[in-house]
Amino acid sequence: MSRTAFSTSSVDCISPTGSSSRTSRRLVLAAGMTAAAPAVTEQLAAVAVGPVPDRAGQIYRNNLERLLAGEGRSHPGRYRLDSSIRITETGLAINEDATASRYNVRIVVSYRLMAPHAGENNADRLLADGTVTQINGYDQISAPYATLVSRQDAIERALKEAAREVHTRLSIYFDQHDEA
């Protein structure tokens, strides 16, 4: 069930001339809540997520598409999101026999939000890009299957968090830019 929350904060701004003014700014909350204005929600639903290779890409893409669709009103195609994923593992806890017993999985997602055929000479126009990094850990134990499941779970959790972070960043982008 998706909950919608909207938070507004007032901020005192002082201009270089010394005068002050009050401005109101919407905040996007990422803790499992969708806090987007209707226009932002519509723009998010208009993002088509490009294919991402491998099982990790499938997990990331499925989670991101679910987040972007919101309440099921998906009309992708106005925007295109291209992503790439890099996964690295690092041994942290080293045993006396020089084997690792604790690993960190680092997921780096690079993304580019494009407006297809909106640039000069009908070329794609870059709207936003960025990199999201998530780190998750798992223990290597004597049971190989348990270690495998623990590793897969750590990767999946990191990919879900990366999808949430990209969703949040796109929400902020659409909130701050009028892409009518």
Side-chain angles (χ1 to χ4, degrees), residues 2-8 26-38 40-41 44 67 167-168 171-172 175:
S2 175
R3 295 179 287 169
T4 302
F6 202 76
S7 177
T8 303
R26 281 177 274 170
L27 301 177
V28 178
L29 306 175
M33 304 175 105
T34 304
V40 171
T41 302
L44 289 171
L67 291 168
H167 175 262
T168 300
S171 298
I172 292 169
D175 187 49

Side-chain angles (χ1 to χ4, degrees), residues 28-32 44 60 63-64 67-68 81 107 109 111 130-134 157-173:
V28 178
L29 306 175
L44 289 171
Y60 163 79
N63 279 286
L64 187 56
L67 291 168
L68 293 171
L81 185 72
I107 307 281
V109 176
Y111 66 92
T131 301
V132 172
T133 301
Q134 292 292 327
R157 284 191 321 258
L159 290 166
K160 285 180 180 180
E161 284 304 313
R164 281 190 201 106
E165 178 67 22
V166 169
H167 175 262
T168 300
R169 290 184 184 190
L170 294 177
S171 298
I172 292 169
Y173 171 81

Side-chain angles (χ1 to χ4, degrees), residues 69-178:
E71 302 284 323
R73 300 177 304 268
S74 180
H75 307 291
R78 183 172 174 197
Y79 307 103
R80 186 183 75 239
L81 185 72
D82 298 325
S83 302
S84 64
I85 298 174
R86 189 174 68 242
I87 301 174
T88 57
E89 292 184 60
T90 306
L92 296 178
I94 308 299
N95 297 326
E96 291 175 4
D97 63 354
T99 60
S101 62
R102 175 91 181 148
Y103 288 88
N104 265 359
V105 176
R106 180 181 172 150
I107 307 281
V108 178
V109 176
S110 299
Y111 66 92
R112 295 169 46 105
L113 179 65
M114 307 293 287
H117 313 295
E120 191 174 315
N121 296 328
N122 207 25
D124 294 351
R125 182 169 53 108
L126 177 65
L127 301 175
D129 63 348
T131 301
V132 172
T133 301
Q134 292 292 327
I135 299 174
N136 224 324
Y138 69 95
D139 292 323
Q140 180 174 357
I141 57 176
S142 59
Y145 181 73
T147 299
L148 176 67
V149 170
S150 182
R151 177 183 180 271
Q152 290 173 339
D153 184 55
I155 291 171
E156 188 170 328
R157 284 191 321 258
L159 290 166
K160 285 180 180 180
E161 284 304 313
R164 281 190 201 106
E165 178 67 22
V166 169
H167 175 262
T168 300
R169 290 184 184 190
L170 294 177
S171 298
I172 292 169
Y173 171 81
F174 286 127
D175 187 49
Q176 294 177 348
H177 296 85
D178 184 24

